[in-house]
Amino acid sequence: MTRITPSTGEVTSWPSPVGAPDGFAVRDRRAVLTKRVHNQRATEVVRAELDGDTWSATERRRVRVPGRVVLRCGQGRDGLLWLRAGDTWLRIDA
């Protein structure tokens, strides 16, 4: 489940369009999720939109990164996802 806590403090949950994502950031009704590609210098970047009660993937891309993606090291805030790959932090906008 993907959990989103709006500024009101209310917690709402929806099923995630990506199984076991490493990173997640949301802005309004758009989200970006990442899932590392094991033993490779790549990650899958999934963009999604909230359509009623369902997240629908709108784009999926495999992206080469400068190092291996660190497990569960995607930090999302205010529509920006910071993803650690090797010794580098990458910024991905929602």
Side-chain angles (χ1 to χ4, degrees), residues 12-63:
T12 308
S13 298
W14 295 279
S16 173
V18 176
D22 291 312
F24 171 76
V26 66
R27 177 176 289 142
D28 300 321
R29 303 186 73 74
R30 294 180 324 218
V32 63
L33 301 97
T34 58
K35 184 171 185 168
R36 68 190 181 116
V37 179
H38 297 284
N39 298 319
Q40 295 185 21
R41 293 181 170 199
T43 188
E44 180 182 22
V45 176
V46 178
R47 297 193 181 280
E49 284 195 29
L50 186 61
D51 184 22
D53 293 332
T54 305
W55 282 107
S56 299
T58 58
E59 178 185 6
R60 290 181 185 266
R61 280 190 305 162
R62 186 173 171 167
V63 177

Side-chain angles (χ1 to χ4, degrees), residues 41 64-70 73-75 81-92:
R41 293 181 170 199
R64 187 157 167 76
V65 293
R68 294 186 197 277
V69 175
V70 178
C73 204
Q75 307 292 324
L81 174 63
W82 291 94
L83 183 69
R84 186 169 174 202
D87 292 333
T88 306
W89 285 93
L90 304 169
R91 177 183 154 170
I92 304 169

